[in-house]
Amino acid sequence: MGISERREREKIERRKSILKCARELILAQGVERVSMEDIARKAELSKATVYLYFSGKEILFNEICEDAARVFVEHFRPILEGSLTGIAALKYFWRGYVELFGSSDEMIIIFQVRNFIYPGLPIISLEEQNKSSHVDIILDTIKTIIDQCKAEGIFDPQLDSAQATRLFLSMFSVIVENAVRMPPEAKKSPIIIKEMANAFQIILRGFAKEGIDRSCLNISDG
Amino acid sequence: MGISERREREKIERRKSILKCARELILAQGVERVSMEDIARKAELSKATVYLYFSGKEILFNEICEDAARVFVEHFRPILEGSLTGIAALKYFWRGYVELFGSSDEMIIIFQVRNFIYPGLPIISLEEQNKSSHVDIILDTIKTIIDQCKAEGIFDPQLDSAQATRLFLSMFSVIVENAVRMPPEAKKSPIIIKEMANAFQIILRGFAKEGIDRSCLNISDG
Amino acid sequence: MGISERREREKIERRKSILKCARELILAQGVERVSMEDIARKAELSKATVYLYFSGKEILFNEICEDAARVFVEHFRPILEGSLTGIAALKYFWRGYVELFGSSDEMIIIFQVRNFIYPGLPIISLEEQNKSSHVDIILDTIKTIIDQCKAEGIFDPQLDSAQATRLFLSMFSVIVENAVRMPPEAKKSPIIIKEMANAFQIILRGFAKEGIDRSCLNISDG
Amino acid sequence: MGISERREREKIERRKSILKCARELILAQGVERVSMEDIARKAELSKATVYLYFSGKEILFNEICEDAARVFVEHFRPILEGSLTGIAALKYFWRGYVELFGSSDEMIIIFQVRNFIYPGLPIISLEEQNKSSHVDIILDTIKTIIDQCKAEGIFDPQLDSAQATRLFLSMFSVIVENAVRMPPEAKKSPIIIKEMANAFQIILRGFAKEGIDRSCLNISDG
DNA sequence: AATGAATGAGATTTCATTCAT
DNA sequence: GATGAATGAAATCTCATTCAT
């Protein structure tokens, strides 16, 4: 039985390896440019073996997307658990995003792949999606934060939370799309991070209740 | 003579027809999925005929992009002429965008095709682009408005205009990317328009100078 | 009737113009690279008009070939008239070739086009060709000279004239093929001419009767 | 292990088969007329499979060319090793060429394909070519022989070796080009061989030093 | 379980030739 | 008589997917 366990372990490792390689290729070249051939070569496997683990390109890419979303979600579990105030959650979100990830990789993966797999589907549509997806959990998380901020009197009470969530993620998705078009070394540069922080800040201000003191929206520092 | 004129007209019509078919296919399926074959079939022509009018896929797509940008620019000429205050320009911009176009097609085309033709280039980069393109005129126009709003004390004086332009257009681009993923009849629905208006409003609030009266940022009404 | 004559004249002119343009294109780019489109454009005509004058590419090219051969033949009529000794004919031939043509154009045309039109046919095959072609007259002319040189005791009496003709023209054809692969300005350069003269000389020496004084084979000078 | 060896063998066989089919098509129809489609059909494979073995038409053709040159070079190794006198080398060259090959296929392939791949390059240019090619080894071999013959007092001391090499190979190339235009069964006929021998002989005579006894240039017999 | 090998379907592009006006 | 317009057929090449071993 030790043998079959090792086998099982190896199988899981191989799956991971394929996913990892595909991820890296997507980050390096963009989804559209990644072929099964590329993935197999990078994973040092034959294409046929890749098909053994993933029955098709779409399935494989979808799992990458889900994994990225899962990582994202794992990371922001504290927010989900509701132990934070809205603004603290936002700060936590931002810090987690920038300081911990240090890059936009998860978001890039999520948005790029999503668009690739479901080109006819709106990326951000709280209603239509099958709720088993981790991507939706992300959406829910954001929505929760937004609702909380509204409840706490920081965000405009008239703000439509669902729509604000879409808008918020749209922002991210575009910033991220732009990031993917940059040379890898530039992606994590302070300039990009700064621009993202500014964008984040502007969105928050846009969401804010009229007359509120902006300093409480500050995410970048202390 | 009447004959040659008619011929000329027909030729122009055919060109337009090809561009239109290609445009529709892009709107329906996304750039990546559109092939010359598809375009030819939709235009009820042979592939060779399409090549008679456009010497290559890139050329054809670029023209579609430029056309969309030109239409956009034509429409917003008054803003360019600088006769409006910043906030009036913004209102004009928004009204033109929603009421007159009634859809986001132009923006969809511009962003989708841009990304397709120059996959390695950030879409929105005020510095690097060749300034002969109408797309750049759009960027300049937006930047001009933003600068003006800053000068008029409506926008945050610390706002980085170039970055704000990028952010602004990013927003549009995403909203528009989402729109493209909807069934055509949904695109012009009031709900979409409303959501876009909200997004626009939120961005403006995000750009606004602290403490300013939000009513002056109202774009949707009177 | 003056009108119909002018018409007739114009028709002939246009034919010539087409042939001339095609010739120039062949010389500039090589047969394989010349398209009917190119020819029409250079002749400032529509493709359809070119087809009015020549019912197909092959027909057109064949005529070019024949024309080149005709020019060649015209030029060497004195040799044909048999008024020269063999060696004088050779000198005349060479001088005519180099000094008068100043280039290998006719040969390039003849060989390139021949090979293009009849890729399955040996270029130089005295027996099989349809004897109405001027190309064959060239062959006959050369053969006549070779026979004469044999009769005059300059060439090896055992030389097979037909074969020697083939060999001789093969030589030309290759030199010419090499010439066509050079930039136009190089084609008439003294170096090329010198190399061709050397080649010519070597062939003659190969043809010569044993023991004959080589100085009588000199073609380049006095 | 026997299995993987057999696989390897089959792969090599398949490669060879593709090369062989391509070769035959070139010999039968001329390079320009051979398409990847043709090659695939003849090899009873799909186009994609051909591309599996050769990443492009040029690569495939180049390999054919190099193979032909390699066969040629292998065969004439003794000459390269310099153990022969110039005239013996020539005889060896000729005998190898005619008696062993029995056909001009190798030369046909070499010249046809060379011209096809490098249409802008003179075939025979000792200087410019990249010396890693076997084709160049052939050129060098010929040049070496010619130099040796000059040194041995058989060839005209004023003969320009480089040019003579070009001329010599030009001759071959044309003879060979003519051969390609014949029905396959004719190619090896004694008549062709005889004609080639004559041509060879004539070239040698053309190269010979004045006054030398021609019998020592005899290549065909004893 | 793993893979080398094969392929069908489709993408972009070119060009000789035809035809209605 | 001239031509603008159109096209069928073919060429090169790519890629997701399958299958025998």
Side-chain angles (χ1 to χ4, degrees), chain B residues 158-175:
Chain B
Q158 285 175 17
L159 192 69
D160 176 332
S161 300
Q163 194 195 313
T165 304
R166 280 196 284 280
L167 184 60
F168 185 86
L169 276 176
S170 295
M171 283 279 329
F172 256 83
S173 128
V174 168
I175 294 167

Side-chain angles (χ1 to χ4, degrees), chain C residues 130-149:
Chain C
N130 93 42
K131 286 291 177 183
S132 63
S133 159
H134 279 83
V135 175
D136 302 300
I137 303 182
I138 296 177
L139 297 178
D140 281 341
T141 307
I142 312 276
K143 188 156 177 289
T144 304
I145 302 177
I146 289 171
D147 278 331
Q148 210 174 337
C149 287

Side-chain angles (χ1 to χ4, degrees), chain D residues 6-21:
Chain D
R6 198 210 43 195
R7 280 253 174 90
E8 195 56 31
R9 244 186 5 253
E10 280 174 357
K11 207 170 134 180
I12 292 170
E13 283 313 308
R14 190 89 68 182
R15 260 188 86 86
K16 276 191 199 159
S17 158
I18 294 171
L19 289 168
K20 184 159 162 282
C21 290

Side-chain angles (χ1 to χ4, degrees), chain D:
Chain D
M1 6 116 220
I3 287 177
S4 77
E5 277 159 14
R6 198 210 43 195
R7 280 253 174 90
E8 195 56 31
R9 244 186 5 253
E10 280 174 357
K11 207 170 134 180
I12 292 170
E13 283 313 308
R14 190 89 68 182
R15 260 188 86 86
K16 276 191 199 159
S17 158
I18 294 171
L19 289 168
K20 184 159 162 282
C21 290
R23 251 186 74 112
E24 285 168 13
L25 285 168
I26 291 169
L27 290 171
Q29 331 170 183
V31 219
E32 305 277 357
R33 258 127 192 116
V34 179
S35 76
M36 292 302 258
E37 176 82 47
D38 295 337
I39 295 167
R41 194 167 30 240
K42 187 168 175 93
E44 293 176 310
L45 293 169
S46 70
K47 267 180 290 179
T49 305
V50 175
Y51 274 91
L52 208 63
Y53 286 86
F54 301 93
S55 58
K57 201 188 184 186
E58 188 148 320
I59 302 282
L60 168 53
F61 278 24
N62 194 56
E63 184 145 338
I64 289 174
C65 190
E66 269 301 292
D67 276 358
R70 187 159 34 237
V71 167
F72 204 97
V73 165
E74 285 309 320
H75 200 80
F76 295 110
R77 188 171 299 281
I79 300 180
L80 283 165
E81 282 157 8
S83 51
L84 300 169
T85 63
I87 199 69
L90 281 172
K91 284 185 186 176
Y92 185 93
F93 185 87
W94 175 247
R95 282 212 191 138
Y97 190 68
V98 163
E99 294 167 20
L100 297 179
F101 282 117
S103 85
S104 321
D105 291 359
E106 257 53 35
M107 293 304 267
I108 293 171
I109 292 293
I110 292 167
F111 284 104
Q112 285 234 348
V113 178
R114 258 289 151 120
N115 281 350
F116 179 74
I117 301 181
Y118 307 110
L121 214 77
I123 322 168
I124 305 142
S125 149
L126 288 174
E127 294 75 349
E128 302 167 38
Q129 295 183 12
N130 91 39
K131 287 291 175 183
S132 63
S133 160
H134 279 85
V135 174
D136 304 299
I137 302 181
I138 296 177
L139 297 179
D140 281 341
T141 308
I142 312 274
K143 187 156 177 292
T144 305
I145 302 176
I146 289 171
D147 278 331
Q148 210 173 336
C149 288
K150 277 166 67 178
E152 291 168 10
I154 293 162
F155 282 180
D156 182 356
Q158 286 175 17
L159 192 70
D160 175 333
S161 299
Q163 194 196 314
T165 303
R166 278 196 286 280
L167 184 59
F168 185 86
L169 277 176
S170 296
M171 285 282 326
F172 256 81
S173 126
V174 168
I175 293 167
V176 139
E177 288 275 335
N178 272 325
V180 86
R181 294 166 204 287
M182 306 195 149
E185 68 280 7
K187 279 180 196 162
K188 303 194 182 184
S189 83
I191 295 169
I192 299 295
I193 302 292
K194 188 66 172 57
E195 177 141 350
M196 289 179 64
N198 282 343
F200 197 95
Q201 200 75 71
I202 285 168
I203 288 284
L204 293 193
R205 289 181 184 171
F207 285 171
K209 188 155 125 184
E210 182 152 28
I212 210 157
D213 180 10
R214 278 184 177 180
S215 64
C216 80
L217 296 170
N218 256 325
I219 43 144
S220 306
D221 48 63

Side-chain angles (χ1 to χ4, degrees), chain B residues 168-194:
Chain B
F168 185 86
L169 276 176
S170 295
M171 283 279 329
F172 256 83
S173 128
V174 168
I175 294 167
V176 140
E177 288 274 337
N178 273 325
V180 85
R181 296 166 204 286
M182 306 195 150
E185 67 281 7
K187 279 181 199 163
K188 304 194 182 185
S189 83
I191 295 168
I192 298 295
I193 301 292
K194 188 67 172 55

Side-chain angles (χ1 to χ4, degrees), chain B residues 119-131:
Chain B
L121 212 79
I123 323 168
I124 306 142
S125 152
L126 289 174
E127 293 76 350
E128 303 168 38
Q129 295 183 15
N130 92 38
K131 287 290 176 185

Side-chain angles (χ1 to χ4, degrees), chain A residues 32-33 115-116 118-124 156 159 163 166-167 170-171 173-174 178 181 195 198-199 202-203 205-210 212-214, chain B residues 29 32-33 115 119-124 156 159 163 166-167 170-171 173-174 178 181-182 195 198-199 202-203 205-210 212-214:
Chain A
E32 304 278 356
R33 271 155 185 85
N115 283 350
F116 179 74
Y118 308 108
L121 213 78
I123 321 171
I124 306 141
D156 183 356
L159 193 68
Q163 194 196 312
R166 281 195 284 279
L167 183 60
S170 296
M171 281 265 333
S173 126
V174 167
N178 271 326
R181 297 169 200 286
E195 178 141 350
N198 282 342
I202 286 167
I203 287 286
R205 289 181 184 171
F207 287 169
K209 189 156 128 183
E210 183 152 26
I212 211 157
D213 180 10
R214 279 186 177 178
Chain B
Q29 333 170 182
E32 305 277 356
R33 258 129 191 113
N115 281 350
L121 212 79
I123 323 168
I124 306 142
D156 182 356
L159 192 69
Q163 194 195 313
R166 280 196 284 280
L167 184 60
S170 295
M171 283 279 329
S173 128
V174 168
N178 273 325
R181 296 166 204 286
M182 306 195 150
E195 177 142 351
N198 282 342
I202 286 167
I203 287 285
R205 290 182 183 170
F207 286 171
K209 188 156 128 183
E210 183 153 25
I212 209 157
D213 180 10
R214 277 186 179 180

